[in-house]
């Protein structure tokens, strides 16, 4: 770090430009665009300092997720965070401080949308606010980035998808795995047949905490702990499962046909009305299933999604590929050669005719990380800015948002109603 803050800022901007220039080269020289066209905006070389390159963004919702997205936006060349909005003043004050006090501050998103010169908005509010803000942003002719999950109800998901489809503006949803090098590489392996046809997907998200945030005043309980209440959240399905549902829908190129499930509050009996333990089985075409479970009372198994076929397994979160027929160890290979050449001694062997099929001990092959090694969030922000600058809508983004958002709500309904819930159809 230098003694001059301006020098540090200039150095950071240069580093971000170099990084995005490398990404542009990787994307342009690879086969990514043929099957993943939403990556196309990342081909653009990073913007300079000219006013014509500048994209002016407003961030609506500056809590934990909104603050993270703000940090990435502030580091993205050619982006000016022109406005911030939150109806909880402490969050807004913290975000304004992080942005150096330069953006205009609002407590009402409608006033931000009416601000002259705003090109697009990043929406990172509680789930129940996604639909009204998205629809207002499209009506105001803004480009829209909306965090996952898409909306709180099926009707709201359909309304957002229809509005995004009718708008000429960019629409992007906060499924960062669409921009993750690990998941992009895994998708290439699946398309190339390295695991064979997908026969099952298993996904889990296990934590051991109450998912609760400190509340300075009891009257703010439902406002700050909105994830714990049905009026504002879909709980573990919308907040966590939506990520893995998007991956499953993406890799299978399909939406689930139906699902069944069970949910309960079996540990955190603290007044919440969203489940703390969920188990849902999603049925896809050709008999393929996604087995999903999440809980907040044990973290042993952590976070993972396993895509399985007769030839191999991909673990997306840990970035590993396992083949069903790994190459033999050197000692085994040498023994095989000795047998083939008639040089191996006879050894008496006595063993049981059957043994349990224990978990594979294969180390696995690491998936690549050359787009930066993160989870894709940073590149998703750069792609949004570039798409606005280029006037280039992102193909398939609406479908990704709709399929994952609806699937999460299907899982919630299946647990609530104790019956199989069918796919409710297209938004069109």
């Amino acid at each position: 770090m230098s003694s001059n803050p301006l020098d540090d800022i200039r150095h950071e901007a240069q580093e971000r430009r170099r990084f995005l220039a490398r990404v542009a080269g990787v994307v342009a020289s690879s086969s990514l665009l043929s099957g993943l066209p939403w990556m196309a905006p990342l081909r653009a070389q990073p913007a300079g300092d000219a006013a014509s390159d500048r994209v002016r963004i407003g961030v609506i919702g500056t809590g934990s997720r909104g603050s993270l997205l703000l940090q990435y936006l502030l580091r993205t060349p050619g982006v000016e965070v022109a406005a911030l909005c939150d109806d909880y003043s402490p969050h807004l004050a913290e975000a304004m401080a992080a942005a150096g006090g330069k953006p205009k501050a609002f407590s009402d998103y409608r006033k931000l949308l009416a601000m002259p010169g705003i090109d697009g908005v990043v929406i990172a509010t509680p789930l129940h606010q996604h639909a009204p803000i998205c629809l207002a942003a499209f009506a105001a002719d803004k480009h829209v980035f909306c965090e996952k999950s898409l909306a709180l109800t099926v009707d709201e998901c359909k309304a957002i998808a229809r509005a995004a489809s009718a708008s000429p503006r960019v629409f992007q949803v906060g499924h960062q795995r669409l921009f993750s090098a690990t998941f992009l590489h895994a998708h290439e392996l699946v398309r190339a047949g390295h695991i064979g046809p997908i026969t099952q997907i298993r996904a889990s998200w296990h934590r051991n905490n109450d998912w609760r945030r400190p509340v300075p005043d009891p009257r703010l309980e439902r406002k700050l702990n909105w994830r714990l209440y049905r009026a504002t959240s879909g709980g573990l399905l919308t907040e966590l499962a939506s990520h893995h549902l998007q991956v499953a829908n993406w890799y299978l190129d399909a939406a689930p046909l139906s699902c069944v499930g069970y949910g309960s509050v079996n540990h955190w009996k603290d007044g919440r009305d969203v489940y703390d333990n969920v188990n849902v089985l999603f049925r896809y075409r050709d008999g393929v299933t996604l087995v999903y479970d999440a809980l907040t009372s044990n973290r042993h198994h952590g976070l993972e999604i396993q895509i399985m076929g007769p030839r191999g397994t991909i673990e997306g979160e840990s970035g590993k590929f396992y083949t069903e027929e790994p190459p033999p160890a050197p000692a085994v290979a040498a023994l095989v050669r000795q047998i083939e050449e008639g040089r191996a001694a006879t050894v008496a062997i006595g063993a049981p005719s059957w043994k349990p099929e224990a978990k594979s001990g294969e180390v696995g092959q690491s998936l690549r990380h050359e787009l930066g090694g993160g989870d894709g969030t940073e590149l998703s922000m750069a792609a949004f800015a570039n798409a606005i600058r280029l006037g280039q809508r992102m193909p398939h983004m609406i479908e990704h948002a709709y399929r994952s958002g609806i699937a999460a709500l299907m899982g919630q309904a299946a647990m609530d109603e104790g019956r199989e819930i069918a796919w409710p159809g297209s938004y069109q």
Side-chain angles (χ1 to χ4, degrees), residues 47-362:
D49 297 320
S52 58
D53 284 344
R54 192 174 305 132
V55 172
R56 304 184 79 225
I57 300 292
V59 178
I60 303 174
T62 59
S64 58
R65 186 64 182 175
S67 293
L68 177 64
L69 298 182
L70 172 62
Q71 291 298 323
Y72 284 125
L73 288 168
L74 291 171
R75 295 169 56 187
T76 302
V79 168
E80 177 190 345
V81 178
L84 298 172
C85 178
D86 203 299
D87 61 4
Y88 183 58
S89 58
H91 285 169
L92 184 58
E94 290 173 6
M96 286 294 293
K102 295 179 181 179
K104 289 190 176 181
F106 297 92
S107 60
D108 186 333
Y109 71 85
R110 291 165 294 192
K111 292 182 179 179
L112 183 149
L113 292 174
M115 175 180 165
I118 291 287
D119 297 306
V121 293
V122 168
I123 300 168
T125 62
L127 182 60
H128 71 294
Q129 296 175 336
H130 284 189
I133 299 176
C134 276
L135 296 176
F138 283 124
D141 200 29
K142 305 301 181 186
H143 302 281
V144 176
F145 176 101
C146 181
E147 262 301 340
K148 60 81 202 149
S149 190
L150 187 56
L152 186 58
T153 71
V154 170
D155 287 344
E156 287 178 343
C157 287
K158 291 187 174 185
I160 294 174
R162 289 177 187 136
S165 182
S167 172
R169 300 305 178 190
V170 174
F171 172 69
Q172 188 176 336
V173 68
H175 286 302
Q176 64 265 23
R177 286 156 182 80
L178 289 167
F179 297 90
S180 159
T182 297
F183 280 92
L184 295 170
H185 187 192
H187 187 263
E188 286 185 355
L189 293 177
V190 171
R191 285 203 306 164
H194 288 282
I195 69 168
I198 296 175
T199 51
Q200 187 182 94
I201 299 176
R202 301 181 68 87
S204 59
W205 204 314
H206 293 185
R207 295 172 168 178
N208 195 345
N209 61 63
D210 61 8
W211 213 15
R212 181 175 290 285
R213 307 224 168 147
V215 177
D217 185 324
R219 290 172 295 182
L220 295 171
E221 164 62 20
R222 288 181 176 261
K223 183 177 187 64
L224 297 183
N225 282 310
W226 59 269
R227 290 179 178 86
L228 303 181
Y229 301 101
R230 293 294 186 90
T232 49
S233 169
L236 295 173
L237 266 294
T238 56
E239 295 305 307
L240 302 184
S242 56
H243 284 298
H244 287 153
L245 286 166
Q246 181 272 318
V247 172
N249 296 339
W250 172 20
Y251 282 31
L252 293 169
D253 192 22
L257 301 173
S258 65
C259 68
V260 294
Y262 292 95
S264 65
V265 181
N266 69 357
H267 184 69
W268 299 108
K269 300 180 186 297
D270 55 2
R272 71 186 64 201
D273 57 18
V274 300
Y275 301 132
D276 64 7
N277 182 0
V278 301
N279 303 267
V280 187
L281 180 66
F282 294 87
R283 180 174 65 92
Y284 288 80
R285 65 191 180 202
D286 300 325
V288 179
T289 54
L290 163 63
V291 182
Y292 184 83
D293 71 274
L295 72 159
T296 55
S297 56
N298 185 291
R299 66 172 182 266
H300 178 72
H301 287 291
L303 162 68
E304 192 53 88
I305 180 167
Q306 300 171 322
I307 299 97
M308 295 176 284
R311 297 182 59 193
T313 299
I314 289 168
E315 292 188 343
E317 301 294 351
S318 57
K320 291 285 189 175
F321 167 56
Y322 304 88
T323 178
E324 287 287 289
E325 297 181 1
V332 175
L335 178 60
V336 170
R337 286 196 300 272
Q338 291 173 7
I339 294 173
E340 291 174 343
E341 296 168 2
R343 296 186 291 109
T346 302
V347 179
I349 298 176
S353 60
W354 174 88
K355 65 177 181 178
E357 292 182 302
K359 182 179 179 180
S360 169
E362 187 192 352

